[in-house]
Amino acid sequence: MELDFFDCNVALGLPMVRPATQHGAAPATASALLAAMDRAGVRRALVWHVAQHNSHPITGNQLLAAEIAGHERLAGCWAILPNTCGELGDLDAFFAAAYRAGVRALRAFPGINRYLLRREAVGEILDRMVAGHWPLILRVPADVGWEQVYDLMAATPDLTLVLASMGVWGSDRLFRPLLDRYPNVCIETGGHIVDGGIEDVVARYGAGRLLFGSGFPDQYLGAMMLALAHAEIREADKRAIAGGNLDRLLAEVRP
């Protein structure tokens, strides 16, 4: 069976410092990313820009919007900041502009951008995300610690949260309590490298809690494609994880 892969965790742009784990050249442009996707057999991707992390979220958001414009296979992730300094401007305008630019999810890099991912700082933004069904994608623990994630979900339990890039060591004891308690928490496959892990998560929580993601270019595009294709689960569950679940989440997003 051929799966329609929609990758939820792909980065675009040249980093200031190349990560030691990065495999091959980072895609500097949308065209370069699409070429890498074609080689691997990934049809669509939800993309963020490294400048959102390395430079400034607003700069990165603008660069991302310019790169993905006209590319129907690429949806975007913008980065958020607390709006106490007015950097996002009018929030109605921010969310409307994001939606027009093909952005369908948000990311946060609170450590390097020097803020706390708490309701005191970003509560108004979180409320708008919940109301508009905007997913928040967090790299854990690279950008946000687990205690911060637990505090965030306790304060905003209806938030749609995707836990990404959790690392090569099994994080089940850390993320499963969140899956147990919060129905809108999902995990991406690229950060769940555990023998039989896909099968066990599907058996306990259902396939709807898993999204295909690679972590490209820090990780190979094809690694989790192979793991999912050979997972001992139903074909319908494979299709859902490969792209159907992400399609469903992004179709619910409203500006």
Side-chain angles (χ1 to χ4, degrees), residues 51-83:
Q52 294 165 341
H53 179 273
N54 288 175
S55 178
H56 190 281
I58 304 304
T59 300
N61 292 349
Q62 294 168 345
L63 290 171
L64 179 76
E67 276 297 327
I68 68 173
H71 294 286
E72 295 184 355
R73 295 169 58 190
L74 303 178
C77 293
W78 272 8
I80 61 171
L81 288 168
N83 209 27

Side-chain angles (χ1 to χ4, degrees), residues 81-95:
L81 288 168
N83 209 27
T84 50
C85 297
E87 292 164 284
L88 299 185
D90 178 80
L91 289 183
D92 288 338
F94 174 82
F95 279 92

Side-chain angles (χ1 to χ4, degrees), residues 19-31:
T21 58
Q22 185 172 295
H23 302 289
T29 64
S31 296

Side-chain angles (χ1 to χ4, degrees), residues 138-146 148-149 164-167 169 171 174:
L138 297 177
R139 297 189 301 178
V140 188
D143 298 315
V144 182
W146 283 104
Q148 290 179 284
V149 173
S165 303
M166 292 182 289
W169 300 107
S171 300
L174 294 164

